[in-house]
Amino acid sequence: MTLPKIITKKKIGNEKFQIENKTLKFELSEFWSWNQSNLIENRTRGILAEFIIKKALGIESDYRIEWDDFDLISNCGKKLEIKSAAYIQSWEQKKYSDIKFGISPTAGTNDNPKYDGTKKRWSDYYIFCLLKNKDQKTINPLDLDQWTFFVLKTEILNIQKPKQQTIGLNPLLKLKPIECRFSELKKIIEQ
């Protein structure tokens, strides 16, 4: 059996939960607030990094697609893989976290017409997003001055690190990515 893809309608947050055709007194925004408020937590910070890149590049998309071959497509058609890391975590730490980004080649999804089961990196560029603030009292992922971005052509990873699954900050810097701020991302990706 093949089920068609579900077309998601963009939600705005005031949608109410229901039961037995009755509207309840709580809404979707409450779930979002409960689920996504810890912006320092790894999973949420990674999704936030994707959103930040979407906004920096002016990408018009109504919703995020989970489990795709890459995270975003720029307005000029470049496929982007977004990775995030931070020194500060939401749990108790004895030291700052080592900065590592996932770069594993993947088999791709069955929805991809080029899917043949071969593991590879499907994007044109990786954008490594580092939440660089090291002060628990002032860390704020919504402050874009606290982020540094490193843009690297996927081709460089494929040549220099073909099967590597993660990359630390120093090995990444040796590949000479373009380091930039939020306001510079669009120009770098669109050039």
Side-chain angles (χ1 to χ4, degrees), residues 107-171:
T109 63
N110 293 328
D111 292 341
N112 185 330
K114 295 181 181 177
Y115 173 77
D116 64 1
T118 305
K119 287 190 173 186
K120 64 182 245 176
R121 296 181 180 111
W122 297 89
S123 64
D124 299 311
Y125 286 88
Y126 271 70
I127 302 177
F128 300 96
C129 308
L130 175 60
L131 182 57
K132 62 186 178 185
N133 187 324
K134 292 183 175 181
D135 181 359
Q136 283 186 320
K137 292 179 179 146
T138 61
I139 193 164
N140 177 5
L142 299 177
D143 180 352
L144 299 178
D145 290 326
Q146 293 188 14
W147 291 85
T148 296
F149 305 93
F150 302 93
V151 179
L152 186 69
K153 285 186 176 182
T154 301
E155 176 184 357
I156 294 170
L157 282 176
N158 290 338
I159 292 168
Q160 299 291 323
K161 310 285 182 186
K163 296 183 192 230
Q164 194 161 317
Q165 296 184 8
T166 62
I167 191 165
L169 183 57
N170 287 332

